[in-house]
Amino acid sequence: MKIDYSTNEAVTIAVIHGRLDGTAPALLRKELPLQLQKTPCLVLDCTALEYMDSGGLGALLACLRIAVGNKGDIRLAAINAKVKMLMELTRADKVFQIYTTVADAVTSYTNQGSRP
Amino acid sequence: MKALIVIREKDSGWLRDFFPAIHPAITPICNKPLLEYHMDFALLSGCTAVRIVMDEGGNSIEEYFQQGERWGVAISYGISNPDDSIDTLIEKNGAFCADTPLLIMDGFFFVHYDKAGDLRAPSFPADSGLLSSCSSGSVLFAANADCLHNISDSSLEADFALSSLTSLDDIFGISMQILQAEQDHYVLPGYGVEQNVLLGQNVTIEKNTKIIPPVIIGDNVRLHGNTVIGPDVVIGSDVIVDNGTRIERSVIHTDSYVGRDLFVNNRIVHGKRIISPADGEILDISDGYLCSSMDMYSGSLFRRTVNSVSALLIFVVQLLPYFLLGGLRKLQGSWQVEEQSVLLGNRGESLTIPILFNRGDTIADKLFAVLALEKFPLLHLVIKGKMQLVGNRPLSETPAHQKLLADFPDYLPGVFTYAEGEEMEEGGLDEEIIERYHAANRSFRHDCGILLKILFSNGFTRKTAQ
């Protein structure tokens, strides 16, 4: 798994590549909080995310807690059908805001701000 | 009247992509194999003998239907070529089809009927019959085998209707249709505890579990506390639904574990596999505690304990020589290892294992082979209960092997294999026969014999591959 970061105004866009399972969640738990300290509003671009297991989901939730604690949020964009199925199965789709495109996710921060 | 049921791989093979371990013809619809609906239809139509003709392995079908004692009808089996026409099949089954009215069910479809209706002996002229067809097959009543070509489609006159089965959504849709409106039309397994709720035997429903009809639940099912089941749910046999999970408009296949606090909606759960019937998307869950196959928990405690203890003993004995000789082989450059994904059972579970090759001709290579040290990296999998110490040759995860396992229910991959015990070359029909024979006859004593043979008798004759 690899994550590339870019910043669009007050929002960090993290592009996640590969599979978020096995040892990758530990890496995510380590890397993402560092970015969240700089900008707590983050869009996770999942276009290149192939698969995620419950460990990956757990890591994302841990990071979401940090983001919300810093008055920010993690919003997911362009998740594939497999990841969507996992999100629905675990009801994580009720916890994360999920958008079809990265642009929509970024715009949502402008329109809605972070979490109430 | 006699019934000829024709099952063709070209019509039904697509279903193997979703459920590789199940023959498409016995795919469950409301906990009853599809073919059993055909069988019931044939019986209600007055058939006294049924022949099932298949062009692809149907051991599981024969195992299920046997000779028809359960249905009070004589069931026989025939084989066909994929391209055989009905005329050819009639000719091949000449003795069966001679001098009798025939019911021919050819294709992959669901036949809707009402068991309370009058399906017996539809009226048609003595030199004709009744044909009802859909895009994936047809049902034909003929006065005899000679008048097949005099029959035109007369679906509107029939007391039954056909639904094509060309996608998973079709199969899912039929399950939902039966659940919601046709439960009384068929003989379904289970007993009715209230309107539109059918329960099998030994169903444990814990406190605070809510069941919303229509629901069909199989045998040996445990619904843990705070689960909500329904509406529109079919749960197969040997299923556990863990605490706090909600299932609606879904089908849970036999031998599945559904983890806690999940929400299953519009899905088919098949062991560790979750499928969206609408688009055929498959999610293979790697976390055993989310969803898994119940097979993971099967097997006797005694067998697992013996396996683990024996593997641990061999592990201790091989530890030192493995690292000494392995190190030497690495220095000599004859060390070769590859990772391979192998099938763990016939429900699609797989595992990546290291395969060590015994190549080279040095003393270290030969000693490595004689001491069977290539097995060392696999022993921890036996200790963890993921593989057998003695079992079948692990089959790589390919569609062909998945298909093979559909008719090989006794398959259990082992570190030491039956084929090795018999000193069979890898691949080919002979090896498959040996593997199937030993798998069907496995016992503690039998496996011990094979293991000793591999370790001591064959060890001295084992050679390194060139």
Side-chain angles (χ1 to χ4, degrees):
Chain A
M1 186 207 67
K2 195 178 87 155
I3 310 175
D4 294 326
Y5 299 95
S6 62
T7 304
N8 181 340
E9 295 175 6
V11 179
T12 298
I13 299 169
V15 186
I16 187 162
H17 301 266
R19 293 171 66 93
L20 190 47
D21 60 357
T23 54
L27 188 69
L28 189 88
R29 276 174 195 263
K30 206 171 145 188
E31 271 194 30
L32 223 51
L34 298 175
Q35 284 297 323
L36 291 168
Q37 276 170 8
K38 295 177 200 164
T39 43
C41 295
L42 189 132
V43 169
L44 201 62
D45 179 356
C46 302
T47 314
L49 175 64
E50 293 161 14
Y51 179 78
M52 177 165 68
D53 70 356
S54 63
L57 193 58
L60 272 184
L61 284 166
C63 295
L64 178 67
R65 268 200 295 270
I66 295 168
V68 172
N70 292 338
K71 296 192 170 31
D73 198 1
I74 294 178
R75 293 180 185 173
L76 308 185
I79 57 173
N80 68 23
K82 284 187 185 359
V83 175
K84 187 167 180 252
M85 279 170 80
L86 182 79
M87 303 289 280
E88 286 169 355
L89 179 74
T90 54
R91 301 185 234 215
D93 60 331
K94 309 281 183 231
V95 179
F96 287 98
Q97 292 189 36
I98 301 169
Y99 295 87
T100 317
T101 64
V102 175
D104 287 349
V106 172
T107 314
S108 71
Y109 279 108
T110 323
N111 297 340
Q112 301 168 20
S114 59
R115 277 175 191 255
Chain B
M1 182 183 283
K2 291 181 176 177
L4 196 66
I5 300 176
V6 185
I7 300 162
R8 299 176 195 269
E9 188 67 14
K10 71 176 170 63
D11 296 327
S12 59
W14 58 268
L15 202 50
R16 292 187 192 272
D17 295 340
F18 300 103
F19 316 126
I22 304 177
H23 191 292
I26 52 173
T27 298
I29 293 184
C30 291
N31 288 349
K32 177 167 169 155
L34 171 65
L35 195 54
E36 200 176 340
Y37 289 92
H38 285 28
M39 196 65 70
D40 286 354
F41 177 76
L43 295 181
L44 288 167
S45 302
C47 292
T48 52
V50 175
R51 175 159 293 179
I52 301 171
V53 182
M54 298 166 279
D55 59 1
E56 192 76 38
N59 289 352
S60 51
I61 291 178
E62 290 196 40
E63 214 166 84
Y64 186 81
F65 289 102
Q66 299 188 349
Q67 305 308 310
E69 296 87 348
R70 216 173 104 196
W71 291 267
V73 65
I75 299 179
S76 55
Y77 302 89
I79 51 168
S80 64
N81 290 321
D83 300 324
D84 280 351
S85 65
I86 283 294
D87 289 334
T88 312
L89 291 174
I90 296 278
E91 201 181 320
K92 280 184 175 175
N93 297 276
F96 179 82
C97 299
D99 305 325
T100 181
L102 283 175
L103 162 62
I104 300 172
M105 304 176 82
D106 180 12
F108 196 57
F109 53 81
F110 185 81
V111 55
H112 297 267
Y113 58 88
D114 187 347
K115 68 184 182 200
D118 185 17
L119 293 166
R120 195 164 280 265
S123 55
F124 44 78
D127 60 347
S128 181
L130 180 84
L131 170 68
S132 181
S133 58
C134 64
S135 66
S136 61
S138 63
V139 168
L140 191 149
F141 287 93
N144 55 61
D146 299 325
C147 66
L148 292 177
H149 298 289
N150 302 337
I151 304 167
S152 56
D153 199 324
S154 46
S155 305
L156 293 175
E157 297 163 31
D159 292 321
F160 57 89
L162 306 188
S163 284
S164 309
L165 297 179
T166 53
S167 71
L168 196 60
D169 205 26
D170 291 339
I171 289 180
F172 185 74
I174 295 224
S175 294
M176 293 301 124
Q177 191 176 340
I178 293 174
L179 258 179
Q180 292 160 0
E182 296 179 3
Q183 277 195 41
D184 297 337
H185 292 196
Y186 311 99
V187 179
L188 295 173
Y191 61 94
V193 286
E194 61 175 277
Q195 187 68 23
N196 289 329
V197 176
L198 276 180
L199 292 188
Q201 294 175 357
N202 192 27
V203 175
T204 310
I205 302 172
E206 288 186 10
K207 227 162 62 176
N208 300 331
T209 295
K210 194 172 175 189
I211 292 182
I212 305 168
V215 164
I216 296 177
I217 296 175
D219 298 335
N220 307 316
V221 171
R222 193 184 302 169
L223 305 176
H224 283 204
N226 298 314
T227 50
V228 181
I229 309 296
D232 305 329
V233 170
V234 180
I235 296 181
S237 295
D238 304 312
V239 168
I240 296 176
V241 181
D242 219 332
N243 287 44
T245 284
R246 179 176 186 132
I247 303 177
E248 58 187 51
R249 198 178 158 75
S250 294
V251 175
I252 314 296
H253 278 185
T254 290
D255 291 327
S256 299
Y257 165 77
V258 185
R260 58 169 56 201
D261 296 321
L262 301 181
F263 178 50
V264 183
N265 182 26
N266 260 313
R267 298 282 182 261
I268 297 174
V269 176
H270 178 74
K272 64 165 192 170
R273 177 168 279 191
I274 298 177
I275 308 165
S276 166
D279 53 15
E281 190 65 50
I282 297 172
L283 174 66
D284 282 323
I285 300 278
S286 53
D287 312 281
Y289 53 91
L290 278 183
C291 278
S292 66
S293 163
M294 293 294 291
D295 293 353
M296 283 174 66
Y297 306 102
S298 64
S300 77
L301 183 65
F302 173 73
R303 184 182 174 84
R304 276 183 283 162
T305 309
V306 169
N307 254 318
S308 299
V309 171
S310 310
L312 193 64
L313 278 173
I314 298 172
F315 184 89
V316 171
V317 171
Q318 285 191 334
L319 185 67
L320 192 64
Y322 174 79
F323 282 106
L324 284 176
L325 291 170
L328 208 56
R329 288 186 72 204
K330 275 181 189 167
L331 286 174
Q332 290 168 345
S334 57
W335 182 263
Q336 195 185 348
V337 62
E338 257 178 34
E339 291 214 321
Q340 194 179 64
S341 181
V342 298
L343 292 163
L344 289 180
N346 61 4
R347 293 180 64 82
E349 310 91 342
S350 61
L351 179 74
T352 303
I353 61 170
I355 306 282
L356 268 176
F357 291 95
N358 278 337
R359 298 212 167 98
D361 207 21
T362 65
I363 292 172
D365 295 326
K366 284 177 178 169
L367 264 176
F368 202 87
V370 166
L371 297 173
L373 295 176
E374 75 279 6
K375 308 290 185 186
F376 182 83
L378 302 177
L379 291 171
H380 74 281
L381 297 170
V382 182
I383 297 166
K384 286 178 185 167
K386 291 188 173 174
M387 283 179 83
Q388 303 295 310
L389 188 60
V390 181
N392 298 105
R393 181 170 67 83
L395 296 173
S396 54
E397 192 182 13
T398 63
H401 284 155
Q402 282 176 334
K403 200 169 161 184
L404 176 83
L405 289 192
D407 278 327
F408 192 1
D410 299 320
Y411 167 83
L412 283 175
V415 171
F416 296 91
T417 70
Y418 297 126
E420 283 177 288
E422 296 288 355
E423 295 185 76
M424 300 290 298
E425 289 290 325
E426 192 173 313
L429 188 62
D430 288 347
E431 189 205 9
E432 194 183 325
I433 291 168
I434 288 289
E435 290 272 310
R436 282 177 184 264
Y437 169 79
H438 285 289
N441 292 290
R442 65 162 61 94
S443 65
F444 171 65
R445 203 173 153 186
H446 173 267
D447 286 1
C448 281
I450 295 280
L451 180 63
L452 292 174
K453 199 172 171 193
I454 295 169
L455 286 177
F456 297 105
S457 172
N458 298 4
F460 297 106
T461 55
R462 195 182 288 120
K463 289 175 184 162
T464 54
Q466 298 304 309

